[in-house]
Short mmCIF file of all heavy atoms in Angstrom, two decimals:
data_model
loop_
_atom_site.label_atom_id
_atom_site.label_comp_id
_atom_site.label_asym_id
_atom_site.label_seq_id
_atom_site.Cartn_x
_atom_site.Cartn_y
_atom_site.Cartn_z
N ILE E 10 2.29 4.91 6.67
CA ILE E 10 1.75 5.82 5.57
C ILE E 10 0.25 5.55 5.36
O ILE E 10 -0.56 6.49 5.32
CB ILE E 10 2.48 5.78 4.32
CG1 ILE E 10 4.04 6.00 4.55
CG2 ILE E 10 1.92 6.39 3.20
CD1 ILE E 10 5.05 5.69 3.31
N ALA E 11 0.02 4.28 5.31
CA ALA E 11 -1.35 3.76 5.19
C ALA E 11 -2.22 4.28 6.25
O ALA E 11 -3.39 4.77 6.14
CB ALA E 11 -1.47 2.28 4.98
N ALA E 12 -1.80 4.12 7.54
CA ALA E 12 -2.63 4.69 8.68
C ALA E 12 -2.87 6.15 8.58
O ALA E 12 -3.99 6.59 8.87
CB ALA E 12 -1.77 4.31 9.92
N GLY E 13 -1.95 6.90 8.17
CA GLY E 13 -2.04 8.31 7.94
C GLY E 13 -3.18 8.55 6.84
O GLY E 13 -3.93 9.58 7.06
N THR E 14 -3.07 7.78 5.76
CA THR E 14 -4.16 7.94 4.78
C THR E 14 -5.45 7.71 5.27
O THR E 14 -6.42 8.46 4.86
CB THR E 14 -3.68 7.06 3.62
OG1 THR E 14 -2.44 7.30 3.06
CG2 THR E 14 -4.77 7.18 2.50
N TYR E 15 -5.66 6.58 6.05
CA TYR E 15 -6.95 6.34 6.46
C TYR E 15 -7.49 7.25 7.63
O TYR E 15 -8.61 7.12 8.05
CB TYR E 15 -6.95 4.89 6.99
CG TYR E 15 -7.12 3.93 5.82
CD1 TYR E 15 -6.04 3.04 5.55
CD2 TYR E 15 -8.11 3.82 4.88
CE1 TYR E 15 -6.07 2.19 4.54
CE2 TYR E 15 -8.23 2.95 3.85
CZ TYR E 15 -7.19 2.08 3.65
OH TYR E 15 -7.24 1.27 2.64
N ALA E 16 -6.63 8.18 8.09
CA ALA E 16 -7.14 9.11 9.16
C ALA E 16 -8.08 10.09 8.56
O ALA E 16 -8.78 10.80 9.25
CB ALA E 16 -5.89 9.89 9.65
N LEU E 17 -8.18 10.22 7.21
CA LEU E 17 -9.14 11.00 6.52
C LEU E 17 -9.06 12.50 6.74
O LEU E 17 -10.12 13.02 7.04
CB LEU E 17 -10.59 10.39 6.75
CG LEU E 17 -10.76 9.07 6.19
CD1 LEU E 17 -12.20 8.68 6.52
CD2 LEU E 17 -10.44 8.84 4.73
N ASN E 18 -7.95 13.04 7.01
CA ASN E 18 -7.73 14.54 7.23
C ASN E 18 -6.58 15.02 6.38
O ASN E 18 -5.77 14.11 5.87
CB ASN E 18 -7.56 14.82 8.78
CG ASN E 18 -6.41 14.10 9.42
OD1 ASN E 18 -5.30 14.02 8.73
ND2 ASN E 18 -6.67 13.56 10.54
N LEU E 19 -6.65 16.31 6.19
CA LEU E 19 -5.56 16.91 5.35
C LEU E 19 -4.10 16.62 5.66
O LEU E 19 -3.22 16.37 4.87
CB LEU E 19 -5.80 18.33 5.24
CG LEU E 19 -4.95 19.11 4.18
CD1 LEU E 19 -5.15 18.59 2.73
CD2 LEU E 19 -5.21 20.71 4.22
N ASP E 20 -3.94 16.69 7.09
CA ASP E 20 -2.54 16.43 7.44
C ASP E 20 -2.17 14.89 7.22
O ASP E 20 -0.97 14.64 6.91
CB ASP E 20 -2.45 16.55 8.97
CG ASP E 20 -2.41 18.12 9.27
OD1 ASP E 20 -1.73 18.87 8.62
OD2 ASP E 20 -3.09 18.60 10.12
N GLY E 21 -3.08 13.99 7.29
CA GLY E 21 -2.86 12.56 6.98
C GLY E 21 -2.54 12.35 5.56
O GLY E 21 -1.51 11.72 5.25
N PHE E 22 -3.32 12.93 4.76
CA PHE E 22 -3.02 12.96 3.17
C PHE E 22 -1.63 13.55 2.92
O PHE E 22 -0.82 12.96 2.17
CB PHE E 22 -4.12 13.62 2.52
CG PHE E 22 -5.38 12.87 2.26
CD1 PHE E 22 -5.60 11.59 2.92
CD2 PHE E 22 -6.46 13.22 1.55
CE1 PHE E 22 -6.69 10.80 2.81
CE2 PHE E 22 -7.61 12.56 1.48
CZ PHE E 22 -7.70 11.32 2.06
N ARG E 23 -1.47 14.80 3.48
CA ARG E 23 -0.24 15.43 3.14
C ARG E 23 1.00 14.79 3.63
O ARG E 23 1.95 14.56 2.94
CB ARG E 23 -0.30 16.92 3.56
CG ARG E 23 0.80 17.74 3.25
CD ARG E 23 0.51 19.27 3.35
NE ARG E 23 -0.17 19.45 4.68
CZ ARG E 23 -1.06 20.54 4.87
NH1 ARG E 23 -1.35 21.39 3.89
NH2 ARG E 23 -1.58 20.74 6.00
N GLY E 24 0.95 14.29 4.92
CA GLY E 24 1.95 13.50 5.47
C GLY E 24 2.21 12.22 4.74
O GLY E 24 3.47 11.84 4.53
N ALA E 25 1.20 11.45 4.33
CA ALA E 25 1.44 10.29 3.54
C ALA E 25 2.02 10.43 2.25
O ALA E 25 3.03 9.73 1.94
CB ALA E 25 -0.08 9.61 3.33
N VAL E 26 1.70 11.59 1.53
CA VAL E 26 2.32 11.79 0.20
C VAL E 26 3.86 12.24 0.40
O VAL E 26 4.72 11.69 -0.30
CB VAL E 26 1.65 12.84 -0.54
CG1 VAL E 26 2.32 13.24 -1.88
CG2 VAL E 26 0.20 12.39 -0.85
N LEU E 27 4.16 13.03 1.38
CA LEU E 27 5.49 13.48 1.75
C LEU E 27 6.38 12.21 2.17
O LEU E 27 7.44 12.05 1.65
CB LEU E 27 5.49 14.49 2.82
CG LEU E 27 4.96 15.86 2.47
CD1 LEU E 27 4.83 16.68 3.80
CD2 LEU E 27 5.91 16.58 1.59
N GLN E 28 5.70 11.41 2.85
CA GLN E 28 6.55 10.17 3.29
C GLN E 28 6.66 9.09 2.24
O GLN E 28 7.72 8.45 2.19
CB GLN E 28 5.74 9.63 4.52
CG GLN E 28 6.50 8.34 5.20
CD GLN E 28 7.90 8.77 5.75
OE1 GLN E 28 8.31 9.94 5.67
NE2 GLN E 28 8.48 7.87 6.32
N MET E 29 5.70 9.04 1.30
CA MET E 29 5.85 8.21 0.07
C MET E 29 7.05 8.64 -0.69
O MET E 29 7.89 7.78 -1.08
CB MET E 29 4.57 8.38 -0.79
CG MET E 29 3.33 7.62 -0.54
SD MET E 29 2.19 7.84 -1.82
CE MET E 29 0.75 8.24 -0.95
N ILE E 30 7.18 9.97 -0.92
CA ILE E 30 8.36 10.46 -1.65
C ILE E 30 9.63 10.24 -0.94
O ILE E 30 10.62 9.71 -1.51
CB ILE E 30 8.13 11.93 -2.03
CG1 ILE E 30 6.93 12.13 -2.84
CG2 ILE E 30 9.30 12.53 -2.84
CD1 ILE E 30 6.51 13.51 -3.11
N ALA E 31 9.65 10.55 0.37
CA ALA E 31 10.94 10.44 1.27
C ALA E 31 11.26 8.91 1.25
O ALA E 31 12.46 8.60 1.00
CB ALA E 31 10.68 11.04 2.61
N HIS E 32 10.31 8.02 1.47
CA HIS E 32 10.55 6.65 1.61
C HIS E 32 11.12 6.19 0.31
O HIS E 32 11.95 5.24 0.28
CB HIS E 32 9.24 5.92 2.12
CG HIS E 32 9.46 4.40 2.05
ND1 HIS E 32 9.14 3.59 0.93
CD2 HIS E 32 9.77 3.52 3.04
CE1 HIS E 32 9.39 2.32 1.32
NE2 HIS E 32 9.77 2.33 2.51
N GLY E 33 10.58 6.59 -0.80
CA GLY E 33 11.05 6.23 -2.17
C GLY E 33 12.54 6.43 -2.13
O GLY E 33 13.25 5.39 -2.58
#
């Protein structure tokens, strides 16, 4: 999730947030 966030693109941010919720 952190790696996706640091990719600095919209897909990285969106995927990170989706995965945060799913992982929770």
Side-chain angles (χ1 to χ4, degrees):
I10 297 171
T14 301
Y15 284 118
L17 299 180
N18 54 45
L19 183 59
D20 288 314
F22 281 5
R23 187 159 45 205
V26 177
L27 289 169
Q28 186 63 358
M29 280 185 227
I30 300 169
H32 176 267

